[in-house]
């Protein structure tokens, strides 16, 4: 009896081990779920503006006041998604003198980089100074240029700021007059200090023509002159002309530097400019204005149908495949085209009609954009946002007619919009991405218009009230950088601005017609 029980127990035990082995194998073969961990909020002491959180690049950038010690930045807020574990454990202060890495862990590790920017305004202003002082942050040398008649052994500095706001400078710069050789000044702020060497050099040039930043129909020009002399101006002409035009209105003076925006220029034209002040002139500098580049079919006259889908292009060759829509996704399992040509409700010829809808219960916004629909991915889509473009327009104008419906479809994050009016969104983006932006609505890889680091300029219009027929719009590009040049332009019109989140009204309709880039 006892022997039988032992045998039966052994058989059962053997079965359990076998079952455990099978279960173990099954568990090892099943991949862990992919739960992305993002930083959703970040704040430190001395922050000048909201942190820029870029989920695509997994980075956070904070702009700090010049009084903040980068090696000891006080952390005020750090919030993450999906209950991720943070490594290292957040401390009360972090060192942001170089990029700081947090590892966010769910089932996978996600590395997030914290970057700090800090601009310390530095200036030295002296009698007979030409231009502004040049500061070498690496060697801690400040170079001051004065006119050739200045006695460097007996000159006066009228103002100086070489460290954080409120820092003390020693020796007192108002008592130092001999700059025939280099002079060291030390700024002290709280427990920090730094030594800067000031060198004064003479220049025989009383006026210097500086850099030119030429757009299509205007140019930002810079110059330097002896501070305290007559009001400065700029002289300019076409390279092919002999007569000069004086531009003196709107000249901005900053110490020994001055600048202006010369308007009324012609695109793709070579000009010459020179700075002028007190009867003296700087050297001539040549520049060529940019071309007025335009995007094909912005009037939405050309349409072609291939298979079940309408495309707002002359044809689908590489030369003319400029625009696309979400039609290929919407009609994968239906006959619906949320975006179609319209011949009745128009300003002229044809317009683009964008009618948001639902396909098998999934929301599909009516939209149009420059770029290409790449593929359907699950319930969403993979898009290439943007087309090659290198000019810098000042704005975009056109006509739109919008009838918003009441939001009846929403994801969990936007459920608060249910029952409210839908909102349309028309915008244009200039960016130096180098390639189209890879948008994927399934994985949530979306374009963050506020924080994407590649965006140079944006012009935007949102309307949640609707219009009584067509209305004209004229939106201006807000440039985030005047130095960078774009490689791509993205133009988007959508009847439901939260369509990427499968949120909007299935009765919203947007008409767009006669769009045009402006170069004023």
């Amino acid at each position: 009896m006892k022997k039988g029980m032992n045998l039966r127990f052994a058989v059962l035990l053997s079965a359990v081990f076998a079952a455990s082995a099978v279960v173990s194998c099954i568990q090892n073969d099943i991949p862990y779920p992919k739960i992305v961990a993002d930083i959703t909020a970040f704040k430190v002491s001395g922050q000048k503006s909201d942190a820029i959180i870029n989920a695509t690049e997994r980075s956070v950038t904070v702009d700090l006041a010049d009084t903040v010690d980068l090696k000891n930045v006080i952390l005020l807020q750090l919030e993450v998604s999906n209950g991720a574990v943070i490594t290292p454990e957040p401390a009360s202060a972090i060192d942001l003198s170089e990029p700081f890495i947090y590892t966010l862990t769910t089932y996978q590790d996600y590395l997030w980089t914290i970057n700090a920017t800090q601009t310390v305004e530095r200036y030295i202003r002296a009698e007979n100074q030409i231009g502004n002082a040049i500061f070498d942050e690496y060697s801690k040398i400040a170079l001051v240029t004065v006119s050739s008649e200045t006695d460097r052994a007996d000159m006066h500095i009228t103002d100086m700021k070489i460290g954080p706001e409120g820092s003390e400078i020693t020796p007192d710069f108002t008592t130092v007059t001999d700059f025939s050789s280099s002079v060291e000044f030390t700024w002290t702020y709280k427990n920090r200090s730094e030594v800067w060497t000031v060198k004064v050099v003479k220049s025989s040039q009383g006026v210097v023509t500086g850099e030119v930043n030429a757009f299509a129909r205007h140019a930002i020009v810079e110059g330097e002159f002896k501070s305290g002399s007559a009001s400065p101006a700029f002289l300019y002409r076409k390279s092919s002309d002999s007569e000069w035009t004086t531009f003196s209105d709107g000249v901005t003076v900053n110490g020994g530097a001055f600048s202006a925006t010369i308007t009324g220029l012609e695109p793709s034209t070579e000009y010459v400019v020179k700075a002028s002040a007190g009867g003296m002139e700087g050297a001539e500098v040549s520049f060529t204005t940019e071309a007025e580049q335009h995007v094909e079919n912005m009037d939405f006259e050309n349409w072609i149908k291939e298979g079940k889908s309408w495309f707002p292009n002359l044809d689908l060759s590489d030369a003319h495949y400029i625009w696309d829509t979400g039609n290929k996704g919407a009609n994968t399992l239906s006959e619906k085209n949320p975006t179609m040509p319209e011949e009745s409700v128009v300003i002229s010829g044809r317009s683009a009609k964008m009618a948001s809808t639902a396909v098998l219960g999934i929301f599909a916004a009516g939209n149009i954009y420059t770029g290409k629909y790449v593929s359907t991915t699950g319930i969403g889509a993979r898009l290439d946002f943007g087309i090659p473009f290198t000019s810098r327009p000042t704005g975009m104008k056109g006509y739109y007619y919008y009838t918003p419906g009441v939001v009846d479809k929403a994801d969990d994050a936007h459920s608060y919009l249910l029952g409210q009016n839908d909102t349309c969104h028309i915008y244009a983006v200039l960016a130096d991405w180098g390639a189209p932006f890879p948008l994927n609505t399934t994985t949530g890889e979306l374009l963050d218009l506020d924080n994407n680091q590649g965006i140079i300029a944006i012009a935007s219009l949102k309307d949640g009230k609707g219009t009584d027929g067509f209305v004209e719009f004229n939106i201006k590009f807000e440039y985030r950088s005047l130095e960078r040049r774009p490689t791509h332009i993205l133009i988007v019109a959508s009847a439901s601005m939260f369509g990427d989140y499968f949120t909007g009204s299935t009765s919203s309709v947007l008409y767009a017609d006669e769009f045009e880039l402006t170069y004023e």
Side-chain angles (χ1 to χ4, degrees), residues 46 78 109 120 126 173 181 212 239 250 287-288 323 355 360 382 400 411 426 435-436 469 492 502 509 511-512:
L78 174 56
D109 289 341
V120 178
F173 62 84
S181 59
V212 179
S239 294
F287 66 93
T288 301
W323 298 88
L360 300 181
R382 162 78 166 80
Y400 78 102
D411 65 0
I426 298 170
V492 175
F502 308 103
V509 179
Y511 298 91

Side-chain angles (χ1 to χ4, degrees), residues 203-219:
S203 173
S204 58
Q205 292 181 291
V207 177
V208 177
T209 306
E211 295 184 354
V212 179
N213 188 351
F215 289 69
R217 292 187 176 271
H218 69 275

Side-chain angles (χ1 to χ4, degrees), residues 247-258:
F247 190 91
S248 57
D249 293 338
V251 175
T252 301
V253 178
N254 178 17
F258 61 103

Side-chain angles (χ1 to χ4, degrees), residues 146-214:
V146 296
S147 59
S148 57
E149 70 270 18
T150 303
D151 182 0
R152 289 185 298 172
D154 185 21
M155 60 169 283
H156 299 276
I157 292 180
T158 58
D159 202 1
M160 177 187 288
K161 182 179 182 294
I162 57 175
E165 190 70 38
S167 58
E168 180 184 358
I169 299 176
T170 54
D172 183 351
F173 62 84
T174 62
T175 64
V176 179
T177 58
D178 187 356
F179 288 89
S180 55
S181 59
S182 300
V183 179
E184 290 187 346
F185 291 91
T186 301
W187 65 258
T188 303
Y189 182 82
K190 295 183 178 178
N191 61 342
R192 296 184 289 146
S193 65
E194 200 170 67
V195 178
W196 278 80
T197 300
V198 176
K199 295 182 179 181
V200 176
V201 297
K202 290 184 179 183
S203 173
S204 58
Q205 292 181 291
V207 177
V208 177
T209 306
E211 295 184 354
V212 179
N213 188 351

